[in-house]
Structure formats: C-alpha cells, structure tokens
C-alpha cells in the first residue's frame, strides 16, 4: 500500500463536516455498465454534513482553519453564481459565527435559484461584479477585501473553488479514509474543477489510482493539479503522470451533454443516487466512457467519488427541463 508523505505544514483545521463519509456498493449500476456487482463503490462525499454537503467542506476545514488562526472575522470568496464552494463558504461562516461575502460575476445570471437561494438563507453578503473573466473576478474580490479592511474588519480571501495546497489537505485525508475503507481500491474517479480535490487524492493514493474527469472549469487543469501536489509531496508529480479524461467537457462548463443526461438518469434509476449536471454527472459519464473503452475493467475495484452539488441541479435550467421531461406519466 502506498503511504502518504505530506510535507506541507499548516495550522490545524476546524471541524465543519461529519467524518468519515460512508462508502457504499453500487451493484445495480455496476451490472448496468457491464461490471461485476462488487466492482463499483461510491464514496459519499455528498454526505459531508454542513450546509447541504459536498467536497468543498473538506477543503474549507483547512483554508478556514488557517483564516481563523490569522484572526479573520469575514470570509470572502468568488465563483460562478451557482458555486457550491461559495454556498459552503457561507455555511462555514455561519457555523463559526463570522461573516461571509460572495463576489459573483453579474453576467453569470442573478436568478434566485439553486445555490443562490441557500446563500441567502445562510446570510451571505453577495456582491455582483461586472468582471468578465477570472482575473477580473479575483481583482474584484481583492478590492472587496481592501474595502472591508478599511472598515476595520479582518477579511480572509478563500481561494477560487477552495483550491490551494492547504485546501487539498482535506482530500489527502479523504484518500486516507478511502485506503482504510477500500484496501483493494484500483481507481478512484472524481470530477476535476479547480483541482484541489484531485490533487489531494493524488497526493494520498498516487497518480495511478486517481482518474480526474475534466469539467472545463480551468483552461489547462493538469499543471494546476501538479503544482498543488508539488506543495504536498517531497517528490513532485509531473503533469503527464496524472490521469485525466477531457471527453466530457462538451461545449463548455455550463452545457448539459447527452452523455451527462444518460449518466444522471442511469445513476438515479439504478441506485437512487442523484448527480449534478456540472461535476458529478460529468464524472459518472467519464467513468461510463472508461468502462466502454476498457480502461476500467471488470474484476477490479473502482470507487466513484460523489462530490455533491445537488443544489446546483436546481439552478441549472437545462437540467431542470431534462428532469421534468423525463417524468413518466401514467401506467
Ligand atoms: C467544486 C466541485 C468539484 C470539483 O472539485 P475541485 O476541487 O474544484 O476540482 C466537484 N464536484 C462538485 C459538486 C463541486 O462543487
């Protein structure tokens, strides 16, 4: 068994979630995909507890831990308006009795649905920015922090998607849980967005045992993942050593592809597992494609890492329409 050699020194995390998350078998989905009934398991990181759950809780335990150690009284972060990370940053702030400010691009749509509903309930302050790209959004968040400091607050900027080497420590820990729960794990399949989740799993499980399914959130994700891993391990991992599928991006991050529609329905109808259209639906579509092309084979243990994202489904017009149109009326 490969052991973890995480070198990053960091302040202690705060506890925000409920650990360890369960691992469950997916025998009916495995059979539907042509795998043996014991070949496919699911790591329920949709059930991390806080604020509707999801993978961002693990990363926030470390990034917010560092912020609190610095005396922060306000958490500031950015993302798309349907960001699960922003929702969970708001939940973390609520849990800790501090303030949260979410900086969103107005061009992303202000409709009060999905995650934005929960941001409101959680008491987040939302700042709509006219930023047209990532760099401008980061600059807008920095300006919000400067403004808060002038008012005498102590803001901490939580990185986009919660991803940094510190945030990735949450997924080093998830990899350790997985090693105990599934000693014969051959491959973990996970959505790749801002990169911290995959980086932590790679640092813990090794690059050969982690397949990232790109969601199109970053232009060039592998160097980003490799850079986080380099901060975690004494021996860096080269981007070429990482395993990634890019075949599920479709025409872009927000787009609902046919493969994702099938993944959403097969997971729901064989196992009662709900996936989201942006991340976990793509990860499952990538897993299905990997079974079809023989890179995931029967007789080996594959773990699908469910990273959450359910509120985002209700904020995604095409996914809502697809679900409504899938209703089977009458007998
Ligand atoms: C953010 C997110 C991911 C991707 O995680 P990263 O660490 O950003 O790569 C996967 N699934 C869901 C539901 C997410 O919200």
């Amino acid at each position: 068994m490969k052991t973890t050699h995480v070198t990053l020194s960091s302040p202690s995390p705060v506890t925000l979630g409920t650990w360890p998350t369960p691992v469950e078998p997916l025998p009916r989905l495995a059979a539907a995909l042509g795998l043996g009934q014991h070949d496919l398991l699911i790591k329920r990181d949709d059930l991390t507890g806080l604020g509707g759950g999801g993978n961002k809780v693990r990363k926030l335990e470390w990034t917010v831990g560092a912020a609190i150690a610095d005396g922060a009284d306000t958490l500031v972060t950015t993302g798309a308006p349907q960001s699960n990370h922003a929702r969970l940053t708001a939940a973390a702030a609520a849990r800790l009795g501090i303030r949260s400010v979410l900086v969103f691009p107005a061009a992303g749509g202000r409709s009060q649905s999905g995650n934005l509903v929960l941001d409101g309930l959680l008491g987040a302050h939302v700042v709509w920015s006219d930023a047209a790209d990532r760099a401008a959004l980061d600059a807008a968040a920095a300006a919000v922090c400067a403004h808060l400091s002038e008012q005498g607050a102590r803001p901490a900027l939580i990185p986009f998607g919660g991803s940094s080497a510190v945030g990735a420590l949450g997924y080093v820990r998830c990899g350790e849980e997985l090693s105990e729960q599934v000693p014969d794990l051959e491959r973990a399949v996970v959505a790749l967005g801002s990169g911290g989740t995959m980086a932590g799993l790679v640092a813990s499980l090794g690059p050969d045992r982690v397949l990232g399914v790109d969601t199109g959130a970053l232009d060039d994700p592998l160097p980003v993942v490799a850079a986080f891993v380099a901060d975690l391990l004494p021996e860096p991992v080269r981007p070429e050593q990482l395993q990634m599928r890019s075949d599920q991006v479709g025409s872009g991050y927000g787009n609902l592809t046919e493969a994702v529609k099938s993944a959403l329905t097969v997971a729901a109808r064989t196992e009662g597992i709900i996936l989201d259209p942006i991340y976990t639906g793509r990860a499952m579509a990538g897993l299905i494609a990997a079974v079809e092309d023989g890179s995931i084979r029967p007789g080996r243990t594959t773990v699908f890492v469910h990273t959450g994202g359910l509120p985002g489904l209700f904020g995604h017009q095409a996914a809502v329409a697809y679900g409504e149109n899938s209703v089977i009326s009458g007998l």
Side-chain angles (χ1 to χ4, degrees):
M1 169 90 32
K2 192 177 158 70
T3 49
T4 312
H5 300 281
V6 170
T7 53
L8 190 76
S9 64
S10 137
S12 12
V14 287
T15 299
L16 297 170
T18 308
W19 319 115
T21 56
V23 168
E24 298 166 349
L26 295 175
R28 287 170 46 78
L29 178 58
L33 303 184
L35 295 173
Q37 62 165 334
H38 303 296
D39 293 350
L40 190 59
L41 303 169
I42 184 168
K43 174 71 166 162
R44 298 295 305 269
D45 265 20
D46 53 327
L47 304 182
T48 53
L50 180 77
N55 65 329
K56 301 309 181 313
V57 176
R58 286 193 193 266
K59 299 194 283 184
L60 284 162
E61 288 199 332
W62 294 86
T63 53
V64 173
I68 296 290
D70 277 353
D73 61 10
T74 307
L75 303 179
V76 179
T77 201
T78 57
Q82 285 302 329
S83 167
N84 297 305
H85 161 69
R87 180 237 317 159
L88 288 166
T89 301
R95 168 71 63 89
L96 296 167
I98 61 178
R99 191 160 54 148
S100 62
V101 182
L102 311 178
V103 184
F104 292 139
R110 295 190 189 204
S111 82
Q112 287 293 326
S113 65
N115 277 299
L116 278 168
V117 175
L118 304 183
D119 296 341
L121 290 178
L122 290 162
H125 297 248
V126 173
V127 175
W128 293 103
S129 152
D130 57 9
D133 57 23
R134 223 341 250 298
L137 193 61
D138 288 345
V144 164
C145 285
H147 179 71
L148 287 165
S149 298
E150 275 164 30
Q151 294 182 337
R154 300 212 44 165
L157 184 60
I158 307 293
F160 179 83
S163 284
S164 59
V166 170
L169 286 168
Y171 270 85
V172 172
R173 204 164 259 191
C174 177
E176 290 164 0
E177 282 175 24
L178 268 176
S179 296
E180 279 191 17
Q181 291 169 314
V182 190
D184 64 344
L185 176 144
E186 161 134 335
R187 187 88 52 64
V189 180
V190 71
L192 166 53
S194 61
T197 300
M198 180 175 176
L201 291 175
V202 166
S204 173
L205 300 171
D208 297 343
R209 293 204 289 169
V210 183
L211 172 63
V213 181
D214 187 19
T215 60
L218 298 178
D219 290 339
D220 191 10
L222 290 186
V224 174
V225 174
F228 293 146
V229 175
D231 284 339
L232 296 171
L233 295 182
E235 303 248 320
V237 167
R238 280 174 286 111
E240 314 83 73
Q241 286 174 277
L242 297 168
Q243 297 186 56
M244 175 180 80
R245 294 189 79 98
S246 326
D247 54 351
Q248 304 304 326
V249 176
S251 59
Y253 178 77
N255 181 260
L256 184 67
T257 66
E258 292 305 314
V260 169
K261 288 179 188 170
S262 320
L264 293 178
T265 29
V266 73
R269 292 179 185 192
T270 58
E271 300 285 357
I273 296 283
I274 309 295
L275 304 175
D276 80 287
I278 305 283
Y279 296 103
T280 54
R282 280 198 171 94
M284 183 60 78
L287 186 154
I288 293 170
V291 173
E292 282 166 359
D293 72 19
S295 49
I296 287 179
R297 280 169 293 160
R300 313 290 174 86
T301 304
T302 299
V303 175
F304 177 77
V305 182
H306 194 327
T307 45
L310 175 58
L313 189 152
F314 298 110
H316 192 292
Q317 274 183 12
V320 168
Y322 175 66
E324 283 172 351
N325 291 333
S326 303
V327 170
I328 305 166
S329 310
L331 286 178

